[in-house]
Amino acid sequence: MHALLSAEFDEGSPVQNRTGPWSANNRDTGLSWIQQTRQQVQDCPSLTLVLQDPEPVLVQAVLRYLGPPGTRHTFCYDVCLWDGAHGDVWHLHSDLNYLVQRNILRSGARVTIMRCSYTYSEKSLGRGLVCLDEVEVNGELSALPNTQHLPAAGQLPLLGGRKHYLPLWNNDDPYGDTWNGPKLAGDQVSIDVSKVTSLQRLELQWRTRKSLLVRIMYKSRLRYFGKPEGKINIPYQAYFEVADYSGMMTMVLWNELCPEWYNTLQVGNVILLQQYSVKPSYQNRTFPTPGDSQVKRLPSVEISLNARDPPSTITVIKEKFVKPEWGLPDVKYRFVTRLELNDLPHNKVCDVIGLVTYVGRCERKRQKDYKEDFWVHRWVQMIDSSMDQPFLIEMFATSQPDIFEHIHPMSYLVCTQMRVVRKYPDDGSLTPYLTTSNESQVFITGYHKGQPYIKDPKVKHFIEWMKKQNEADFRKKTVIGGYHPYPVVPKTFPTYCKDNTAGEILKLFSELKETISQLHYRERKRVAIQGTIAAIKYVHCNVSAEDSTKPACQNSVLLPLLENSVSISSEGALEIQQQTQQVQEECPDGQLQLTGGEQASHEDINHLSPIKRRKLQLEVNLSLQDIMQEKTAQEPQPSEGVSNKGTEYHRFSWESSLWSEVKHSLEEHLHYSIVYSESKPCKCNYTQKEILMEQYNLHPSQISKLLHPQRQIEEFMPASNLGHFELTILVGRIHFQNWPYIHLTQA
């Protein structure tokens, strides 16, 4: 149980005490606990209620929205509660925002409300809101309730006069009832071609009021530009590239039209536009790479569609009613095979298709330091017929949540407008990977029907190849979830620092503590630290989290020290690289525990004598030779489906003589000691893929999105039986202990 307290009220402030929610007085009123508590807090003279013996209630939904101007936090949260008979939406005090940001207070959790207050609305007579000031989170329900009896989430945010909620973990996805589903194209529309102008003519004559008949060639992800001080109710925009026989031009969907039309307008659609406006084109943005070089780009102006001034009219025309004489260009693509990808340069844009063999967990990446805006992304691998090595894809959310959250092994995946990344072009050993661009669209099995790319020759070839394959053979090799440590760090630390000075990259341990304490749920951040590896212990994958936190470093083992660079992650991979005494730390998960240690004086590690340092270095290098010889002599035989390579490491633990001297006299001892189960990949059980996808997606904002009771990932077969290393690092007067989850074959 987490005791989670808000900021303390001033001592002596008057508050009202009440007994438990199901006291005799409460039962006599006929009201549920939530209704009774709301009434009680309104009746309190101080409008603040402390509950002496409360009982837990269910969190049905956690709802995020843009906060009012002048507040410390950019976003606010409302919580939809359910007491078994009645539901209500209450506001979460801003001091408790961290409970949501670290995914402690979440849908499906049971919470006990210790203190709440009531605030009247200054703009609505007799209306107000209940604020949660102090709560305890009591874990989650073992079985989900019958959701058909749960109340609907609040339609409008409680604070600031906002008109819509945002997705819980990013700003890029459509979310809530505000967003319409795809509209069906109407029946045949009578079009007078004499009243239709071309895009090329529009570029020359801005004031024309004629209609436009165009095909959508490219579509961007949504862009949310809301600011606390902003006055726009629905601050969204989306870019489209549209074309006719004369060329291609940008079309921008603004504000209220985004919820109405974004999910309807798709690449390949033919649309009739009326009552639009024309503005100079905004050039400071990304543009798609055309698949057809014959289509002329018209860059000077853009079409602007708004809900007013003037109210734009959009009509989608069914493909069967599109006439050849209109001269609308077809959407063309630049599909490449995995073999062809090897020859593509950095930043080249292409399209790909393949069979998904691996899907990693969803992670979040902060857009700007110290801001609350995040991108959501995951790693995906897929194969095609050209070679055994898979495509490696860093997939960011593309405003297609129904697809992004349901990517699973054995799906046919199509990704368009993907950008080639060669992180370190001079290092030929690193595999190029693909990342999504602002104009990327992704499609999986079930969403391919009617897409323009189904006519592409390489797509047809892939489908024919898959018809000849035995899918059962591929299914045995599929993996889902886990932390994917890519791109790997380069072979040398100077290469890693290429565009920065070492002083900007290397963090002090005091800075590292602060950085980790500020991490949000599933946030991933890469930093570099410098220190001396003092001890290493191999921890088997079957060891529980409780057992793994016990102090170790007792058996035998060794990794190169002092002359090596180590890339580590609290939930990632460990890679030993010949270079310097640098240690790089990745901290992808915000749920890390910080523990203070004993206070004592000791010899400063940085001032060890050269003899002691040389002795320690020699000890490590000799030990490394012993390990490599033993690995060569004892090569284990893997069993079906699960690798046994972890068995060759189970004896390998090591501690330096330096560690024996200083471990009892440390100024500070930091523990980052939990390997979360979602960081471990599983074999994909196809019959339970929905449950596995749910485990490795981000936690849903609403309980109605939880299809199954929460299950432990340990219940599913692991992708391998490899464990992880416990790594102890000394720096200055501080001892840093990190437990990265690793694939030992990479070490």
Side-chain angles (χ1 to χ4, degrees), residues 171-397:
N171 296 332
D172 300 325
D173 293 334
Y175 176 81
D177 297 335
T178 304
W179 294 81
N180 296 333
K183 298 181 180 181
L184 297 176
D187 295 331
Q188 187 170 4
V189 179
S190 177
I191 298 176
D192 186 351
V193 180
S194 64
K195 296 181 180 179
V196 174
T197 190
S198 70
L199 293 176
Q200 190 172 34
R201 189 174 294 117
L202 179 66
E203 187 180 36
L204 301 174
Q205 301 175 354
W206 287 24
R207 301 297 180 183
T208 181
R209 288 293 179 265
K210 288 189 174 184
S211 302
L212 288 171
L213 188 61
V214 294
R215 186 186 298 277
I216 298 175
M217 309 296 283
Y218 304 99
K219 175 182 179 179
S220 76
R221 66 163 63 99
L222 282 169
R223 176 178 174 263
Y224 177 76
F225 58 90
K227 304 292 182 184
E229 63 278 5
K231 302 297 183 182
I232 300 174
N233 289 331
I234 312 290
Y236 282 96
Q237 68 173 186
Y239 287 93
F240 298 80
E241 300 299 319
V242 297
D244 64 5
Y245 64 89
S246 66
M248 184 168 65
M249 184 179 290
T250 298
M251 177 184 80
V252 189
L253 200 64
W254 286 98
N255 305 330
E256 289 89 344
L257 287 187
C258 286
E260 182 179 355
W261 283 101
Y262 184 80
N263 288 329
T264 296
L265 300 179
Q266 303 295 334
V267 172
N269 286 165
V270 175
I271 56 176
L272 180 68
L273 302 177
Q274 298 168 299
Q275 292 183 268
Y276 52 87
S277 59
V278 181
K279 298 180 179 179
S281 180
Y282 179 68
Q283 297 296 322
N284 190 23
R285 70 175 185 89
T286 62
F287 290 88
T289 300
D292 186 354
S293 59
Q294 301 301 314
V295 178
K296 180 183 178 181
R297 184 184 291 277
L298 306 171
S300 62
V301 298
E302 63 186 26
I303 303 162
S304 185
L305 303 180
N306 290 277
R308 59 187 66 86
D309 302 325
S312 301
T313 301
I314 306 172
T315 305
V316 179
I317 300 172
K318 289 183 178 179
E319 189 65 30
K320 66 180 180 180
F321 298 134
V322 176
K323 299 180 179 180
E325 54 264 31
W326 294 347
L328 300 179
D330 293 328
V331 181
K332 294 186 178 180
Y333 296 87
R334 295 174 178 264
F335 279 96
V336 299
T337 65
R338 177 60 187 86
L339 184 61
E340 292 170 335
L341 175 63
N342 289 335
D343 298 325
L344 296 184
H346 181 65
N347 273 335
K348 183 72 173 180
V349 173
C350 62
D351 310 305
V352 291
I353 182 173
L355 176 72
V356 176
T357 56
Y358 167 78
V359 182
R361 67 175 188 179
C362 288
E363 296 180 349
R364 302 167 71 214
K365 186 178 294 186
R366 204 179 293 257
Q367 295 184 16
K368 294 181 180 179
D369 287 342
Y370 311 110
K371 299 293 184 180
E372 297 180 40
D373 301 300
F374 288 83
W375 288 301
V376 172
H377 72 113
R378 71 194 321 167
W379 288 91
V380 177
Q381 293 182 15
M382 66 181 188
I383 60 172
D384 66 6
S385 62
S386 64
M387 62 185 301
D388 292 335
Q389 191 172 10
F391 289 101
L392 182 57
I393 299 172
E394 183 185 28
M395 186 177 294
F396 287 85

Side-chain angles (χ1 to χ4, degrees), residues 4-65:
L4 309 168
L5 305 180
S6 66
E8 294 296 323
F9 282 75
D10 293 337
E11 185 176 356
S13 61
V15 295
Q16 186 72 32
N17 294 332
R18 288 291 187 270
T19 58
W22 298 115
S23 65
N25 291 338
N26 290 4
R27 291 194 297 268
D28 292 343
T29 63
L31 299 176
S32 74
W33 180 83
I34 285 179
Q35 292 172 319
Q36 184 75 20
T37 304
R38 174 182 275 272
Q39 187 63 52
Q40 288 176 355
V41 70
Q42 285 183 260
D43 293 341
C44 292
S46 64
L47 297 180
T48 299
L49 176 67
V50 173
L51 294 159
Q52 297 299 316
D53 189 21
E55 293 184 4
V57 294
L58 173 69
V59 176
Q60 181 205 354
V62 179
L63 307 167
R64 185 178 70 107
Y65 56 98

Side-chain angles (χ1 to χ4, degrees), residues 65-82:
Y65 56 98
L66 189 66
T71 56
R72 182 161 53 98
H73 298 278
T74 305
F75 300 103
C76 293
Y77 299 93
D78 294 339
V79 183
C80 189
L81 302 172
W82 173 256

Side-chain angles (χ1 to χ4, degrees), residues 112 147 156 159 491 514 621 681 729:
T112 301
T147 55
L156 294 177
L159 282 184
K491 291 182 177 180
E514 181 180 1
N621 289 338
I729 303 173

Side-chain angles (χ1 to χ4, degrees), residues 532-538 552-559 561 616 620 652-660 663 725-730 735-738 740:
T532 301
I533 300 176
I536 298 173
K537 178 187 176 182
Y538 176 72
C553 319
Q554 296 161 8
N555 299 329
S556 67
V557 123
L558 351 190
L559 285 176
L561 189 53
L616 178 61
V620 173
F652 296 158
S653 294
W654 168 85
E655 69 176 52
S656 70
S657 57
L658 170 63
W659 176 236
S660 301
K663 63 182 176 181
F725 278 132
E726 169 195 333
L727 186 65
T728 301
I729 303 173
L730 292 169
H735 163 227
F736 172 73
Q737 191 174 52
N738 191 297

